[in-house]
Amino acid sequence: MKEPTPSVLTTASGIVLPPEPAVLRVATYNIHKGVQGLGPTRRLEIHNLGHAVEQLDADIVCLQEVRKMNRREEQYFERWPKVSQAEFLAPEGYESVYRTNAYTKDGEHGNALLTRWPVKGSNHIDISDHRFEQRGLLHVEVEVRGRAVHAIVVHLGLIPGSRVRQIQALQQFIEREVPPGAPLVVAGDFNDWGTHIKRLLASYGLYEFEADGLSALTYPSRLPLAQLDHVYVRGMTPTSLAVPQGRIWWRMSDHLPLIAEFHI
């Protein structure tokens, strides 16, 4: 007997949706503005990062230090992309959402989210704690098989007190903008070398995958000493965590990417 052909789901615009996932795969990656090195020896890595993001094969990719534009670097590098880095890094079939956190004399940069699932809405708030660090939260609602999943991309400050106040601002934002029963992802560069932020988030019901003996160190990429990058969730079950290793990865950014999977 011939087996029935699985039904194919499409969006209203005719985009074929991927098969229903057993898990939601989320990656977070601080891309260091697509450039590595300093001064005249610096090199453009944005093209390699494009291949890397595709290899992550994630349903949701949360990116930090993403440039919308930079006049100085555009003049310096011959192969500087003609579009924003968020658009450039989005694999075929993905949507990209970007919001600026920081403005400089040459351009602007911020957080981005790439997803293979339809985007239903997005917003952004400024969580800068002082004038020397411009920080923000990017919130994106994604429809996964008819169910709303909320994702928040973060890049917290370098000062411990600032991070605590930014986590408090995050919690207030979640209470205002995310329905209590909706699956929630909070991912990004938390800049925290200890466990204080992890404990704070746990008090708000946000957890990440943990296993005895698991090493998920992400910074610095060449010789990782700390896990500054995290993927926390609420309303989902963490199932795995992985960090790509090797020279090809540590050459592209000062952070390694983090890949997490969850049952939804």
Side-chain angles (χ1 to χ4, degrees), residues 52-237:
V53 167
E54 190 171 18
Q55 290 300 310
L56 296 175
D57 191 29
D59 297 289
I60 295 173
V61 182
C62 302
L63 301 174
Q64 305 85 51
E65 294 195 24
V66 181
R67 276 180 166 140
K68 180 179 181 181
M69 51 88 69
N70 186 278
R71 287 177 289 271
R72 180 173 64 92
E73 298 290 49
E74 185 176 0
Q75 293 174 1
Y76 184 83
F77 292 108
E78 292 183 1
R79 299 180 62 217
W80 191 261
K82 300 300 183 185
V83 297
S84 69
Q85 290 185 343
E87 294 177 83
F88 184 81
L89 292 175
E92 184 176 357
Y94 280 59
E95 291 190 58
S96 66
V97 180
Y98 165 88
R99 294 293 185 275
T100 295
N101 291 339
Y103 295 88
T104 66
K105 67 183 182 66
D106 293 308
E108 52 191 280
H109 62 269
N111 296 331
L113 182 142
L114 317 177
T115 177
R116 56 164 54 111
W117 294 99
V119 172
K120 306 304 291 182
S122 65
N123 57 6
H124 172 271
I125 63 164
D126 188 331
I127 58 166
S128 302
D129 190 59
H130 52 83
R131 66 188 180 91
F132 299 107
E133 288 186 294
Q134 301 174 71
R135 306 288 180 175
L137 300 179
L138 170 61
H139 169 226
V140 182
E141 182 182 343
V142 180
E143 184 179 331
V144 181
R145 293 286 165 179
R147 187 177 186 186
V149 174
H150 293 257
I152 299 176
V153 189
V154 304
H155 188 188
L156 301 187
L158 298 174
I159 299 172
S162 292
R163 293 195 293 272
V164 171
R165 289 184 287 272
Q166 287 163 351
I167 288 296
Q168 292 169 346
L170 167 68
Q171 172 60 10
Q172 294 168 3
F173 178 83
I174 291 171
E175 290 178 349
R176 291 195 313 269
E177 302 294 337
V178 181
L184 170 64
V185 175
V186 179
D189 178 359
F190 287 79
N191 266 321
D192 188 58
W193 291 69
T195 60
H196 186 53
I197 296 301
K198 181 189 291 285
R199 292 196 301 271
L200 267 179
L201 290 171
S203 71
Y204 301 144
L206 284 154
Y207 300 93
E208 64 180 343
F209 180 82
E210 293 187 70
D212 292 339
L214 174 68
S215 176
L217 306 181
T218 59
Y219 182 87
S221 57
R222 186 183 290 261
L223 185 64
L225 300 173
Q227 183 184 349
L228 301 188
D229 306 272
H230 298 266
V231 182
Y232 293 94
V233 295
R234 187 185 73 187
M236 290 183 275
T237 303

